[in-house]
Amino acid sequence: MEQPNLNYIHELSDGDKDFEAKLISVLKKELPTEFEEFQKNFEEKNFIKTAENVHKLKHKISILGLTKGYEEAALFESDLKNHKDTKRYESFVQVIKSMMDFLRPR
């Protein structure tokens, strides 16, 4: 499985450690809240709102360097919007959990 990393953040920051710290702080703060909202909407079978949640989370996936995870999220978002298809749910949740584990203080 693909692992989250900070490569894109380092590239964006061009060595600015304060910028990196702020961006990581935003990810740590927003990711659990957005994931919780995603879970709630999914459980309520509100697939349009769930697709919107996936869209927001998809960008955080990309920031943490998960190329395959981003592609999977884009497909899941489309599946939810167009077909109410949830078969990609488990793999999407695994990506988000790997990100939360990665961001957890050590």
Side-chain angles (χ1 to χ4, degrees):
M1 177 185 218
E2 183 177 40
Q3 294 300 310
N5 62 72
L6 299 176
N7 296 344
Y8 183 68
I9 292 174
H10 293 313
E11 187 179 315
L12 274 179
S13 75
D14 197 29
D16 183 340
K17 297 299 180 192
D18 288 336
F19 175 79
E20 289 177 11
K22 286 177 187 173
L23 187 51
I24 292 167
S25 176
V26 167
L27 289 171
K28 286 180 178 181
K29 179 182 176 193
E30 292 181 356
L31 187 61
T33 303
E34 290 177 7
F35 182 62
E36 187 176 302
E37 184 179 336
F38 159 81
Q39 292 282 56
K40 176 183 158 286
N41 287 325
F42 185 83
E43 288 169 12
E44 292 174 357
K45 297 186 183 336
N46 187 338
F47 297 122
I48 297 301
K49 285 200 181 272
T50 303
E52 291 170 6
N53 299 134
V54 172
H55 182 79
K56 284 177 74 175
L57 288 161
K58 179 174 70 175
H59 298 293
K60 288 175 174 59
I61 292 169
S62 140
I63 288 171
L64 287 179
L66 297 166
T67 307
K68 291 177 184 168
Y70 180 89
E71 292 169 6
E72 185 70 16
L75 291 170
F76 185 38
E77 178 185 5
S78 178
D79 288 350
L80 288 166
K81 281 183 189 174
N82 299 317
H83 311 292
K84 315 259 185 296
D85 185 350
T86 62
K87 70 179 177 253
R88 298 179 194 277
Y89 172 82
E90 289 298 327
S91 61
F92 179 78
V93 168
Q94 284 305 112
V95 169
I96 300 301
K97 287 183 177 180
S98 76
M99 292 167 55
M100 289 195 296
D101 288 344
F102 179 76
L103 293 170
R104 208 169 269 126
R106 299 179 204 298

